[in-house]
Coordinates of all heavy atoms in Angstrom, one line a residue:
A230 N -22.1 -2.8 -5.5 CA -20.9 -2.2 -5.0 C -20.1 -1.5 -6.1 O -18.9 -1.2 -5.9 CB -20.1 -3.2 -4.2
I231 N -20.7 -1.4 -7.3 CA -20.0 -0.6 -8.4 C -20.6 0.7 -8.5 O -21.8 0.9 -8.5 CB -20.2 -1.4 -9.7 CG1 -19.6 -2.8 -9.6 CG2 -19.7 -0.6 -10.9 CD1 -20.0 -3.7 -10.8
I232 N -19.8 1.8 -8.5 CA -20.2 3.1 -8.6 C -19.8 3.6 -10.0 O -18.6 3.8 -10.4 CB -19.5 4.1 -7.6 CG1 -19.7 3.5 -6.2 CG2 -20.1 5.5 -7.7 CD1 -21.2 3.4 -5.7
P233 N -20.8 3.8 -10.9 CA -20.5 4.2 -12.3 C -20.0 5.7 -12.4 O -20.1 6.5 -11.5 CB -21.8 4.0 -13.0 CG -22.8 4.2 -11.9 CD -22.2 3.7 -10.7
G234 N -19.4 6.0 -13.5 CA -18.8 7.3 -13.7 C -19.6 8.5 -13.8 O -19.2 9.6 -13.4
H235 N -20.9 8.3 -14.4 CA -21.7 9.5 -14.7 C -23.1 9.4 -14.4 O -23.9 10.2 -14.9 CB -21.5 10.0 -16.1 CG -20.1 10.5 -16.5 ND1 -19.7 11.8 -16.2 CD2 -19.0 9.9 -17.0 CE1 -18.5 12.0 -16.6 NE2 -18.0 10.8 -17.1
D236 N -23.5 8.4 -13.7 CA -25.0 8.1 -13.5 C -25.6 9.0 -12.4 O -25.1 8.9 -11.3 CB -25.2 6.6 -13.2 CG -26.6 6.1 -13.6 OD1 -27.5 6.9 -13.3 OD2 -26.7 5.0 -14.1
A237 N -26.6 9.7 -12.8 CA -27.3 10.6 -11.8 C -28.0 9.8 -10.8 O -28.3 10.3 -9.7 CB -28.2 11.5 -12.5
A238 N -28.2 8.5 -11.0 CA -28.9 7.6 -10.1 C -28.1 7.4 -8.8 O -28.7 7.1 -7.7 CB -29.3 6.3 -10.7
V239 N -26.8 7.7 -8.8 CA -26.0 7.6 -7.6 C -26.6 8.5 -6.5 O -26.6 8.2 -5.3 CB -24.5 8.0 -7.9 CG1 -23.7 8.2 -6.6 CG2 -23.9 6.9 -8.8
M240 N -27.2 9.6 -7.0 CA -27.7 10.7 -6.1 C -29.0 10.3 -5.4 O -29.4 10.9 -4.4 CB -27.8 12.0 -6.8 CG -26.5 12.5 -7.3 SD -26.6 14.1 -8.2 CE -27.5 13.7 -9.7
T241 N -29.6 9.2 -5.9 CA -30.8 8.7 -5.3 C -30.6 7.4 -4.6 O -31.3 7.0 -3.7 CB -32.0 8.6 -6.3 OG1 -31.6 7.7 -7.3 CG2 -32.4 9.9 -6.8
R242 N -29.6 6.7 -5.0 CA -29.3 5.4 -4.4 C -28.5 5.5 -3.1 O -28.5 4.5 -2.3 CB -28.5 4.5 -5.4 CG -29.3 4.1 -6.6 CD -28.6 3.0 -7.3 NE -29.3 2.7 -8.6 CZ -29.1 1.5 -9.3 NH1 -28.2 0.7 -8.8 NH2 -29.7 1.3 -10.4
Y243 N -27.9 6.6 -2.8 CA -27.0 6.8 -1.7 C -27.4 8.0 -0.9 O -27.9 9.0 -1.5 CB -25.5 6.8 -2.1 CG -25.1 5.5 -2.6 CD1 -25.1 5.2 -4.0 CD2 -24.6 4.5 -1.7 CE1 -24.7 4.0 -4.5 CE2 -24.2 3.3 -2.2 CZ -24.2 3.0 -3.6 OH -23.8 1.8 -4.1
P244 N -27.1 8.1 0.4 CA -27.5 9.2 1.2 C -26.7 10.4 1.0 O -25.4 10.3 0.7 CB -27.3 8.7 2.7 CG -26.3 7.6 2.5 CD -26.5 7.0 1.2
A245 N -27.3 11.6 1.0 CA -26.5 12.8 0.8 C -25.7 13.1 2.0 O -26.2 13.0 3.2 CB -27.5 14.0 0.5
A246 N -24.4 13.5 1.8 CA -23.6 14.0 2.9 C -23.7 15.5 2.9 O -23.7 16.1 4.0 CB -22.1 13.6 2.6
I247 N -23.8 16.2 1.8 CA -24.1 17.6 1.6 C -25.1 17.7 0.5 O -24.8 17.3 -0.7 CB -22.8 18.4 1.2 CG1 -21.8 18.3 2.3 CG2 -23.2 19.9 1.0 CD1 -20.5 18.9 2.0
E248 N -26.3 18.1 0.8 CA -27.4 18.1 -0.1 C -27.0 18.8 -1.5 O -26.5 19.9 -1.5 CB -28.6 18.8 0.4 CG -29.9 18.6 -0.3 CD -30.3 17.1 -0.2 OE1 -30.2 16.5 0.9 OE2 -30.8 16.6 -1.2

Side-chain angles (χ1 to χ4, degrees):
I231 298 172
I232 307 298
H235 291 278
D236 204 316
V239 169
M240 298 181 290
T241 56
R242 292 193 184 196
Y243 291 92
I247 300 173
E248 195 64 40

